[in-house]
Amino acid sequence: MAYFDAASTEPLHPQAREALIAALDVGWADPARLYGSARRARMLLEQARTEVAEALGARADEVSFTSSGTQAVHLGVLGTLHGRRRSGRRLVTSAVEHSSVLHAAGIHERDGGSVETVGVGITGAVGAGAFCEAVLAEGTALACLQSANHEVGTVQPVAEVAAACAEAGVPLLVDAAQTAGRMPLPGGWSVLAASAHKWGGPAGVGVLVVRKGTRWRSPLPEDDRERRRVPGFENVPAIVAAAAALRATVAESAVESARLFALVDRVRTEVPRLVPEVEVIGDPVVRAPHIVTFSCLYVEGEALLTELDKAGFSVSSGSSCTASTLRPSHVLEAMGVLTHGNVRVSLPRGTSAADVDRFLTVLPGTVRRIREEAGVKL
């Protein structure tokens, strides 16, 4: 089986596995206590925090660990809005943010705040000018912009937006789930959210970074842990493994990202040549190295994913015709692109050229059979 769904979750990095097994033996105690085993757990936790902070370009005391990337986004969005209520109740987001941002925005609206959603172009990139203009409007409390889109891979103009936010005195939250560890992070952000299982760490560890000087107040009942930002007992072994995976991924990223970028380029070039009536989606150059998305006309997404699974390929979809959703992806809708027969291929570390070649060999016949069964011949 060729696993091509790294944008959902990256396989556990070998260094994360080693660190997790070791930390299970020495990092199990409560890091908030004072006895020996607890002090060892605290040392492991703080060392992991320092390593993650260094990889993300932050200070250790700005980093908190959450139970997921989604929780990090929710706390980042709602906590910053809560801390800046006196500055305004207006939130600015792009139309293609992750659902965690959109759901937090919905809570903000129900609480009496307002949300301005800035549209995107055909490649999925937000217009920097339009976004900056929205940020500069009076009463803006927070802006949210992902580093790269989770469905099509397009990189967003974070640096330009960050400059406008700094000019307006508005904090910028960046959801860096798809780029943390893989690509250098642009500067200028005030709040950052990321998820360890996207870079080869274990599931169940998210990262919330709140820059010094950013007003933030927990939307949840306070707890003494994680600098009063995140309630609950820290999963020290998983956090240690997450830090080990991030450290290793950053060290490998220059070589591995370039290699994956070239493999994705091959898919982007060959799929429309081999399969008729296909739309390759997203920016061809300004993109995350590991993601390529395309849509096939006259094909149901669920049927295509099922047949590719049978052929030995794990891929995902933003199509309206998948078992996990009853409507088209909000990302694809916002871009104004074809949503049916959608396939997202996202390559994990170590993907071989042979697996990509096999995928390109299998895909045309698979699409043709599905179309023929539906009575479509091209």
Side-chain angles (χ1 to χ4, degrees):
M1 176 66 71
Y3 179 77
F4 286 175
D5 197 20
S8 292
T9 188
E10 177 85 7
L12 193 66
H13 195 287
Q15 291 194 27
R17 184 184 302 277
E18 293 178 10
L20 178 61
I21 291 171
L24 287 171
D25 290 332
V26 296
W28 51 268
D30 185 348
R33 304 306 175 208
L34 299 178
Y35 40 79
S37 56
R39 293 197 302 273
R40 284 194 296 273
R42 168 60 64 179
M43 289 177 61
L44 288 172
L45 176 62
E46 295 309 320
Q47 178 60 33
R49 195 187 312 276
T50 298
E51 292 174 0
V52 169
E54 181 179 351
L56 299 179
R59 293 171 32 157
D61 60 355
E62 295 172 335
V63 173
S64 297
F65 295 108
T66 67
S67 64
S68 66
T70 294
Q71 188 189 42
V73 166
H74 289 169
L75 289 173
V77 172
L78 297 176
T80 308
L81 288 169
H82 193 31
R84 286 178 48 81
R85 289 176 72 97
R86 293 183 180 179
S87 300
R89 303 297 312 282
R90 191 165 171 275
L91 170 66
V92 177
T93 74
S94 84
V96 294
E97 295 301 303
H98 189 269
S99 59
S100 58
V101 173
L102 303 184
H103 292 158
I107 292 291
H108 176 60
E109 282 189 304
R110 289 197 290 274
D111 192 36
S114 65
V115 178
E116 178 165 349
T117 303
V118 181
V120 298
I122 192 71
T123 67
V126 71
F131 200 97
C132 293
E133 183 178 350
V135 166
L136 294 173
E138 186 177 354
T140 302
L142 175 65
C144 296
L145 185 62
Q146 59 194 187
S147 57
N149 186 260
H150 51 291
E151 290 193 24
V152 301
T154 299
V155 170
Q156 301 291 353
V158 172
E160 294 175 66
V161 168
C165 287
E167 178 185 345
V170 173
L172 173 64
L173 182 149
V174 172
D175 172 11
Q178 291 301 331
T179 61
R182 296 181 183 274
M183 302 174 66
L185 292 172
W189 48 268
S190 301
V191 183
L192 182 138
S195 185
H197 71 95
K198 305 289 189 182
W199 67 61
V205 179
V207 176
L208 172 65
V209 188
V210 180
R211 292 286 198 199
K212 288 294 182 183
T214 302
R215 293 185 62 84
W216 186 93
R217 184 176 177 184
S218 177
L220 302 176
E222 285 195 356
D223 194 342
D224 290 338
R225 296 178 187 271
E226 291 304 298
R227 290 158 178 78
R228 299 183 181 275
R229 292 188 192 130
V230 187
F233 195 104
E234 300 95 341
N235 186 345
V236 174
I239 289 169
V240 169
L246 182 58
R247 184 176 64 246
T249 299
V250 169
E252 299 163 353
S253 65
V255 173
E256 185 64 2
S257 291
R259 196 182 69 83
L260 295 180
F261 197 99
L263 290 177
V264 164
D265 263 350
R266 177 161 168 73
V267 176
R268 292 186 65 91
T269 300
E270 291 298 301
V271 166
R273 187 181 71 83
L274 297 169
V275 182
E277 300 293 347
V278 164
E279 182 178 16
V280 181
I281 298 168
D283 196 292
V285 177
V286 187
R287 58 173 175 80
H290 61 304
I291 301 175
V292 55
T293 298
F294 55 89
S295 294
C296 306
L297 196 61
Y298 312 121
V299 172
E300 289 190 355
E302 183 176 358
L304 182 52
L305 266 60
T306 299
E307 291 305 309
L308 287 172
D309 182 46
K310 292 177 182 177
F313 296 98
S314 301
V315 298
S316 60
S317 174
S319 170
S320 59
C321 299
T322 64
S324 60
T325 179
L326 296 177
R327 58 164 294 169
S329 150
H330 71 278
V331 171
L332 302 181
E333 282 190 321
M335 293 170 64
V337 297
L338 183 65
T339 63
H340 274 70
N342 179 260
V343 175
R344 181 185 68 181
V345 172
S346 49
L347 306 180
R349 172 188 52 82
T351 297
S352 69
D355 278 342
V356 171
D357 288 342
R358 186 167 68 88
F359 177 77
L360 293 172
T361 300
V362 168
L363 179 68
T366 303
V367 173
R368 184 175 60 253
R369 286 194 304 273
I370 295 172
R371 285 172 171 168
E372 288 175 351
E373 289 172 1
V376 177
K377 292 186 179 182
L378 297 177

